[in-house]
Amino acid sequence: MRIVFIGPPGAGKGTQAERMIATYKLAHLSTGDMLRAARDAKTEVGLKADRYMSTGQLVPDDIIVAIIAERLQAPDCRSGTLLDGFPRTIAQAEALDRMLADKGTPLDVVLELQVPEEELFRRLAGRGRADDKPEVIRQRLVAYRQQTEPLLDYYGKRGLLQAIHGLGTVDEIFARIKEVLDPLAG
Ligand code: ADP
């Protein structure tokens, strides 16, 4: 199974992603986690990425695509992959299409976790990560609306998009995700 997981910052993707990888035995490819690890290890890529992350902007596509292209080669991606936080731009989505076509393993589904904006602010303000300052949160939401939301149409037109209502308990939301994924898991 190859799944793309889309949602605004603060929607709770990380929490649901943990449940999904455990239940469906997927490799978890979180570009946010990979970038934070690179930043903390002070690699060249990590230090460059940090300049964008710390201001709430998206890291340039070429950096992200290179990271994902390498990660997709790993053996654990063969059984199934959860792409969490990637793609975030149309150019990244097109690059992903090419990579998956080369491997002969197309996407099965794109999940969009939907949460109203007031709730996102409330959750992010309580979280305390370095990029969770109010002005950085605002910029991340702007980046989501301008650069990532166009993907909903991109995948919707191909019949891949499934919206998941993102309010409720963690269990309630995961049950909604399972309703979509169980039939695909076969
Ligand atoms: P959130 O969804 O809460 O914003 P992430 O952990 O997914 O958090 O991402 C944190 C930051 O990492 C983003 O604000 C952005 O700067 C960078 N980033 C992560 N994934 C991508 C991506 N696919 N393209 C560009 N930048 C990314």
Side-chain angles (χ1 to χ4, degrees), residues 24 111 162-164 171-185:
Y24 300 100
L111 301 178
Q162 295 278 351
I164 304 292
D171 284 343
E172 283 164 352
I173 297 162
F174 188 61
R176 294 174 197 142
I177 292 175
K178 278 186 67 133
E179 267 178 52
V180 174
L181 297 186
D182 279 349
L184 296 173

Side-chain angles (χ1 to χ4, degrees), residues 156-170:
K157 281 188 176 135
R158 288 162 50 185
L160 287 171
L161 188 66
Q162 295 278 351
I164 304 292
H165 178 53
L167 291 181
T169 66
V170 170

Side-chain angles (χ1 to χ4, degrees), residues 7 18 21 36 40 44 52 63 73 108-109 137 166 172:
E18 293 306 326
I21 57 167
R36 279 185 288 278
D40 294 347
E44 197 180 317
Y52 298 89
I63 295 182
Q73 303 300 324
D108 294 287
V109 68
I137 292 175
E172 283 164 352

Side-chain angles (χ1 to χ4, degrees), residues 76-156:
D76 66 326
C77 290
R78 250 175 251 148
S79 51
T81 311
L82 177 61
L83 293 155
D84 171 6
F86 173 90
R88 256 180 163 88
T89 65
I90 294 284
Q92 291 178 18
E94 289 171 347
L96 177 64
D97 284 341
R98 286 192 293 272
M99 290 185 259
L100 294 179
D102 285 347
K103 290 162 66 86
T105 56
L107 284 178
D108 294 287
V109 68
V110 175
L111 301 178
E112 180 210 355
L113 193 55
Q114 291 183 329
V115 175
E117 201 152 295
E118 333 56 277
E119 174 67 11
L120 299 175
F121 259 99
R122 214 177 54 76
R123 293 185 189 176
L124 290 165
R127 192 163 74 171
R129 208 168 72 189
D131 56 351
D132 286 342
K133 291 182 288 231
E135 65 277 17
V136 180
I137 292 175
R138 249 189 305 279
Q139 178 52 49
R140 279 160 57 209
L141 288 168
V142 167
Y144 182 76
R145 257 183 265 126
Q146 294 183 345
Q147 292 168 276
T148 306
E149 274 187 354
L151 293 180
L152 303 178
D153 198 42
Y154 179 88
Y155 288 125

